[in-house]
CSV table of all heavy atoms in Angstrom, one decimal:
chain,number,residue,atom,x,y,z
A,758,ILE,N,0.1,7.2,2.2
A,758,ILE,CA,-0.7,8.4,2.2
A,758,ILE,C,-0.5,9.2,3.4
A,758,ILE,O,-0.7,8.7,4.5
A,758,ILE,CB,-2.2,8.1,2.1
A,758,ILE,CG1,-2.5,7.3,0.8
A,758,ILE,CG2,-3.1,9.3,2.2
A,758,ILE,CD1,-3.9,6.7,0.7
A,759,VAL,N,0.0,10.4,3.3
A,759,VAL,CA,0.4,11.3,4.5
A,759,VAL,C,-0.7,12.3,4.8
A,759,VAL,O,-0.7,12.8,5.9
A,759,VAL,CB,1.7,12.0,4.3
A,759,VAL,CG1,2.9,10.9,4.3
A,759,VAL,CG2,1.8,12.9,3.1
A,760,TRP,N,-1.6,12.6,3.8
A,760,TRP,CA,-2.7,13.5,4.1
A,760,TRP,C,-3.8,13.3,3.1
A,760,TRP,O,-3.5,13.1,1.9
A,760,TRP,CB,-2.2,15.0,4.0
A,760,TRP,CG,-3.1,16.0,4.6
A,760,TRP,CD1,-4.0,16.8,4.0
A,760,TRP,CD2,-3.1,16.4,6.0
A,760,TRP,NE1,-4.6,17.6,4.9
A,760,TRP,CE2,-4.1,17.4,6.1
A,760,TRP,CE3,-2.4,16.0,7.1
A,760,TRP,CZ2,-4.4,18.0,7.3
A,760,TRP,CZ3,-2.7,16.5,8.3
A,760,TRP,CH2,-3.7,17.5,8.4
A,761,THR,N,-5.0,13.3,3.5
A,761,THR,CA,-6.2,13.2,2.6
A,761,THR,C,-7.1,14.4,2.9
A,761,THR,O,-7.4,14.6,4.0
A,761,THR,CB,-6.9,11.8,2.9
A,761,THR,OG1,-6.0,10.8,2.8
A,761,THR,CG2,-8.1,11.7,2.0
A,762,ARG,N,-7.4,15.1,1.8
A,762,ARG,CA,-8.2,16.3,1.9
A,762,ARG,C,-9.3,16.3,0.9
A,762,ARG,O,-9.1,16.0,-0.3
A,762,ARG,CB,-7.3,17.5,1.7
A,762,ARG,CG,-7.9,18.9,1.8
A,762,ARG,CD,-6.9,20.0,1.7
A,762,ARG,NE,-7.5,21.3,1.6
A,762,ARG,CZ,-7.9,22.1,2.6
A,762,ARG,NH1,-7.7,21.7,3.9
A,762,ARG,NH2,-8.4,23.3,2.4
A,843,LEU,N,-14.0,9.1,-1.3
A,843,LEU,CA,-13.2,8.5,-0.2
A,843,LEU,C,-13.9,7.2,0.4
A,843,LEU,O,-13.3,6.3,0.7
A,843,LEU,CB,-13.0,9.5,0.9
A,843,LEU,CG,-12.1,10.7,0.5
A,843,LEU,CD1,-12.0,11.7,1.6
A,843,LEU,CD2,-10.8,10.2,0.0
A,852,LYS,N,-6.3,2.2,2.7
A,852,LYS,CA,-6.2,2.6,4.1
A,852,LYS,C,-6.2,4.1,4.3
A,852,LYS,O,-5.2,4.8,3.9
A,852,LYS,CB,-5.0,2.0,4.8
A,852,LYS,CG,-5.0,2.2,6.3
A,852,LYS,CD,-4.1,1.2,7.0
A,852,LYS,CE,-4.0,1.4,8.5
A,852,LYS,NZ,-5.1,1.9,9.2
A,853,LEU,N,-7.3,4.7,4.9
A,853,LEU,CA,-7.3,6.1,5.2
A,853,LEU,C,-7.4,6.2,6.7
A,853,LEU,O,-8.4,5.7,7.3
A,853,LEU,CB,-8.6,6.7,4.6
A,853,LEU,CG,-8.7,6.6,3.0
A,853,LEU,CD1,-10.1,7.1,2.6
A,853,LEU,CD2,-7.6,7.3,2.3
A,854,GLU,N,-6.4,6.8,7.3
A,854,GLU,CA,-6.4,7.0,8.7
A,854,GLU,C,-7.2,8.3,9.1
A,854,GLU,O,-7.9,8.2,10.2
A,854,GLU,CB,-5.0,7.1,9.3
A,854,GLU,CG,-4.3,5.8,9.1
A,854,GLU,CD,-2.9,5.7,9.8
A,854,GLU,OE1,-2.6,6.6,10.6
A,854,GLU,OE2,-2.2,4.8,9.4
A,855,SER,N,-7.1,9.3,8.3
A,855,SER,CA,-7.8,10.5,8.7
A,855,SER,C,-8.2,11.3,7.4
A,855,SER,O,-7.5,11.1,6.4
A,855,SER,CB,-7.0,11.4,9.6
A,855,SER,OG,-5.9,11.9,9.0
A,856,VAL,N,-9.2,12.1,7.5
A,856,VAL,CA,-9.6,12.9,6.3
A,856,VAL,C,-9.8,14.3,6.8
A,856,VAL,O,-10.6,14.6,7.7
A,856,VAL,CB,-11.0,12.3,5.7
A,856,VAL,CG1,-11.5,13.3,4.7
A,856,VAL,CG2,-10.8,11.0,5.2
A,857,ASN,N,-9.2,15.3,6.1
A,857,ASN,CA,-9.3,16.7,6.3
A,857,ASN,C,-10.4,17.2,5.4
A,857,ASN,O,-10.2,17.2,4.2
A,857,ASN,CB,-8.0,17.4,6.1
A,857,ASN,CG,-8.1,18.9,6.0
A,857,ASN,OD1,-7.3,19.5,5.2
A,857,ASN,ND2,-8.9,19.5,6.7
A,858,VAL,N,-11.5,17.7,5.9
A,858,VAL,CA,-12.6,18.3,5.1
A,858,VAL,C,-12.2,19.8,5.1
A,858,VAL,O,-12.2,20.5,6.1
A,858,VAL,CB,-14.0,18.1,5.7
A,858,VAL,CG1,-15.0,18.8,4.8
A,858,VAL,CG2,-14.3,16.6,5.9
A,887,LEU,N,-17.7,7.3,6.6
A,887,LEU,CA,-16.2,7.3,6.8
A,887,LEU,C,-15.9,7.2,8.3
A,887,LEU,O,-15.1,6.4,8.8
A,887,LEU,CB,-15.6,8.6,6.3
A,887,LEU,CG,-15.5,8.7,4.7
A,887,LEU,CD1,-15.1,10.1,4.3
A,887,LEU,CD2,-14.6,7.6,4.1
A,891,GLY,N,-14.2,4.0,11.2
A,891,GLY,CA,-13.1,4.3,12.1
A,891,GLY,C,-12.1,5.3,11.6
A,891,GLY,O,-11.0,5.4,12.2
A,892,ILE,N,-12.4,6.0,10.6
A,892,ILE,CA,-11.6,7.1,10.0
A,892,ILE,C,-11.8,8.4,10.7
A,892,ILE,O,-13.0,8.8,10.9
A,892,ILE,CB,-11.8,7.2,8.5
A,892,ILE,CG1,-11.5,5.9,7.8
A,892,ILE,CG2,-11.0,8.4,7.9
A,892,ILE,CD1,-12.0,5.8,6.4
A,893,LYS,N,-10.8,9.0,11.2
A,893,LYS,CA,-10.9,10.4,11.8
A,893,LYS,C,-11.2,11.4,10.7
A,893,LYS,O,-10.5,11.5,9.8
A,893,LYS,CB,-9.6,10.7,12.5
A,893,LYS,CG,-9.7,12.1,13.2
A,893,LYS,CD,-8.3,12.4,13.8
A,893,LYS,CE,-8.3,13.9,14.3
A,893,LYS,NZ,-6.9,14.2,14.8
A,894,VAL,N,-12.4,12.0,10.8
A,894,VAL,CA,-12.8,13.0,9.8
A,894,VAL,C,-12.9,14.4,10.6
A,894,VAL,O,-13.7,14.5,11.5
A,894,VAL,CB,-14.1,12.6,9.2
A,894,VAL,CG1,-14.5,13.6,8.1
A,894,VAL,CG2,-14.0,11.2,8.6
A,895,PHE,N,-12.2,15.4,10.1
A,895,PHE,CA,-12.2,16.6,10.7
A,895,PHE,C,-12.2,17.8,9.8
A,895,PHE,O,-11.7,17.7,8.6
A,895,PHE,CB,-11.0,16.7,11.7
A,895,PHE,CG,-9.7,16.6,10.9
A,895,PHE,CD1,-9.0,17.7,10.5
A,895,PHE,CD2,-9.1,15.4,10.7
A,895,PHE,CE1,-7.8,17.6,9.8
A,895,PHE,CE2,-7.9,15.2,10.0
A,895,PHE,CZ,-7.2,16.4,9.6
A,904,GLU,N,-8.2,21.5,14.5
A,904,GLU,CA,-9.1,20.5,14.0
A,904,GLU,C,-10.4,20.5,14.7
A,904,GLU,O,-10.4,20.6,16.0
A,904,GLU,CB,-8.4,19.1,14.1
A,904,GLU,CG,-7.2,18.9,13.2
A,904,GLU,CD,-6.6,17.6,13.4
A,904,GLU,OE1,-7.1,16.7,14.1
A,904,GLU,OE2,-5.5,17.4,12.7
Side-chain angles (χ1 to χ4, degrees):
I758 299 171
V759 295
W760 197 262
T761 303
R762 181 173 169 89
L843 297 177
K852 184 158 176 40
L853 302 173
E854 293 184 16
S855 64
V856 171
N857 166 217
V858 181
L887 293 169
I892 299 167
K893 177 184 174 185
V894 182
F895 60 93
E904 293 179 4

